[in-house]
Amino acid sequence: MARFTLQTLPAARLLAGALIVLPLLAACSEEKKEHAEEVRPVRVQPVAFETGRETLKLAGTLAPRLEAPLAFQVTGKLASRPVEIGTRIVPGQVIGKLEPEDFALQLRRAQAQVASSEADLARLQADLKRYEALKTSMVFTQATYDQRAAAAAVAQQTLIGARSQVAIAERQMGYTALTADHGGVVTAVLAEPGQVVAAGQAIVRVARDEELEVSVPIPENRLAEARAAQDARVSLWAEPEKAYRVQLRELAASADPQTRTYLAKYTLLDRPQGGKMGMTATLMLAKGDAQAVAALPLSSLFQQGDKPAVWVVDAAKGAVTLKPVTVAAYHQDAVLLAGGVKDGELVVTAGVHRIDPGIKVRILGAAPGKGQ
């Protein structure tokens, strides 16, 4: 078989091959040049360090400061209960009534006993007065007089006791109507008409809504922060843009057996205008040692190995520099930086994984001022 070498190829064929390769090399060189000079548009945000004191957010509810059960002071059959859950009541309003027949009978019996005691006293006093008139006669004896005087005194005390029984029966008759001592809102109904209720058995629960507080279950690993927090505020889900000052009033000594959290109660120092019982609230606790942090979108972070970093833009030169940063906290859609960048530096906020060192960038729109 014949062997071919470069020496055996015609010179014209070598020249044609060179003419094909040279344009290809020139095209590759042009592509590299264009890639090196590519200017990529980016969005940036200025770094603005602020004192960030918020360290913990916990969900809670608005609850009444005082809530108490209302009950009858006597046993009886519930005849009526004219209130329902959510009914707003005023002082003196009737909450429920018992059937009064048995109490009316007891009152009449006590009144009859008073009448009998009065009659006995009147008879014995008359006998004593008549016998006292016989002091100068021979039939008068001191022993008989003393016996009649003692009988009259006993009748006097018996009458006092009977009158007390009338007063008790009258009061028990009054107890058949349960009235509110203070205003509020009915939060629970615990008995229905026709039911026999015992003395002291709760019929309804009434909350005094003139003073509200925030009830928050605290996880056991956050108890120290809850006690040490110097600045506590609450925002309502219905008014997320507003925050109200609160103060820790009570912290449970033991954990709830089901949730294993400690119930904390915070007094509202500022009363929310539209605050209602049962509204969802967010408790925000802050540490005493404030730390300056800068908030940036989560999309600003670039992972450099196992450490977070951000791309910082030099607006004058259009150059980018990758700087490692210290993260203070992660939020749902933002990251708080504690260091690694300076106040006022421009940080790329989108497409950070498409940027290469040495690439030129162009800021989209006018560079925002600090704090925008």
Side-chain angles (χ1 to χ4, degrees):
M1 179 182 290
R3 296 176 61 88
F4 294 94
T5 63
L6 290 178
Q7 288 78 9
T8 62
L9 292 176
R13 186 174 294 179
L14 289 176
L15 179 60
L19 291 176
I20 293 173
V21 173
L22 287 176
L24 292 176
L25 294 176
C28 292
S29 178
E30 187 67 25
E31 287 181 4
K32 290 182 180 181
K33 183 177 180 181
E34 289 179 359
H35 180 72
E37 295 178 354
E38 179 184 0
V39 178
R40 181 164 296 170
V42 294
R43 295 189 182 276
V44 298
Q45 178 175 318
V47 175
F49 279 95
E50 297 179 354
T51 302
R53 296 172 60 86
E54 183 181 320
T55 60
L56 179 63
K57 287 185 178 181
L58 296 171
T61 56
L62 284 186
R65 170 71 172 81
L66 297 174
E67 184 178 12
L70 298 186
F72 289 100
Q73 293 181 249
V74 292
T75 299
K77 186 176 181 180
L78 185 61
S80 64
R81 193 210 63 235
V83 298
E84 299 292 344
I85 295 177
T87 301
R88 182 168 293 278
I89 61 176
V90 297
Q93 182 175 342
V94 175
I95 303 298
K97 287 185 176 182
L98 297 177
E99 292 185 352
E101 286 79 7
D102 292 342
F103 300 95
L105 290 174
Q106 293 177 7
L107 177 58
R108 287 197 291 270
R109 184 179 64 179
Q111 290 172 340
Q113 185 64 41
V114 168
S116 176
S117 298
E118 288 177 343
D120 288 344
L121 178 61
R123 178 179 57 80
L124 291 173
Q125 286 179 338
D127 288 346
L128 178 62
K129 188 175 182 180
R130 284 194 299 271
Y131 193 78
E132 190 176 5
L134 299 175
K135 275 190 176 183
T136 57
S137 67
M138 296 295 294
V139 297
F140 179 84
T141 61
Q142 187 63 39
T144 302
Y145 177 81
D146 291 342
Q147 288 177 356
R148 295 191 176 189
V154 170
Q156 180 69 41
Q157 296 304 316
T158 300
L159 177 60
I160 294 175
R163 287 174 175 170
S164 298
Q165 290 299 319
V166 170
I168 292 174
E170 289 176 343
R171 296 191 66 172
Q172 288 184 334
M173 186 71 180
Y175 291 153
T176 59
L178 177 62
T179 58
D181 296 329
H182 50 76
V185 178
V186 178
T187 57
V189 171
L190 307 173
E192 298 295 335
Q195 180 178 344
V196 176
V197 295
Q201 179 181 342
I203 305 302
V204 297
R205 291 186 68 88
V206 176
R208 303 176 65 172
D209 60 348
E210 70 270 13
E211 184 178 355
L212 297 177
E213 63 182 12
V214 182
S215 296
V216 181
I218 305 291
E220 58 186 30
N221 63 332
R222 299 293 189 178
L223 289 177
E225 293 181 53
R227 292 192 183 97
Q230 297 181 359
D231 183 16
R233 295 179 182 271
V234 162
S235 65
L236 302 181
W237 185 79
E239 301 175 346
E241 71 282 356
K242 297 181 181 179
Y244 304 93
R245 295 179 301 123
V246 294
Q247 183 178 13
L248 180 63
R249 181 181 68 83
E250 179 183 316
L251 184 60
S254 60
D256 183 275
Q258 295 180 348
T259 63
R260 306 308 305 166
T261 57
Y262 294 77
L263 184 63
K265 297 180 179 180
Y266 287 83
T267 300
L268 282 163
L269 302 180
D270 303 321
R271 173 65 184 259
Q273 291 287 336
K276 304 292 183 182
M277 289 187 299
M279 279 188 168
T280 302
T282 301
L283 174 68
M284 297 170 287
L285 300 179
K287 289 183 178 180
D289 52 340
Q291 181 184 18
V293 294
L296 291 173
L298 280 174
S299 58
S300 305
L301 286 185
F302 179 87
Q303 203 67 20
Q304 186 183 26
D306 58 348
K307 296 181 179 179
V310 295
W311 291 102
V312 177
V313 177
D314 186 336
K317 299 179 181 179
V320 290
T321 305
L322 187 62
K323 290 188 175 182
V325 293
T326 302
V327 176
Y330 291 96
H331 286 188
Q332 184 175 1
D333 55 356
V335 60
L336 301 183
L337 302 184
V341 288
K342 298 179 181 179
D343 208 31
E345 287 186 325
L346 299 178
V347 173
V348 178
T349 59
V352 295
H353 296 285
R354 300 179 59 191
I355 299 176
D356 298 320
I359 195 173
K360 295 293 183 179
V361 297
R362 173 176 57 84
I363 298 175
L364 287 175
K370 178 183 174 181
Q372 290 183 338

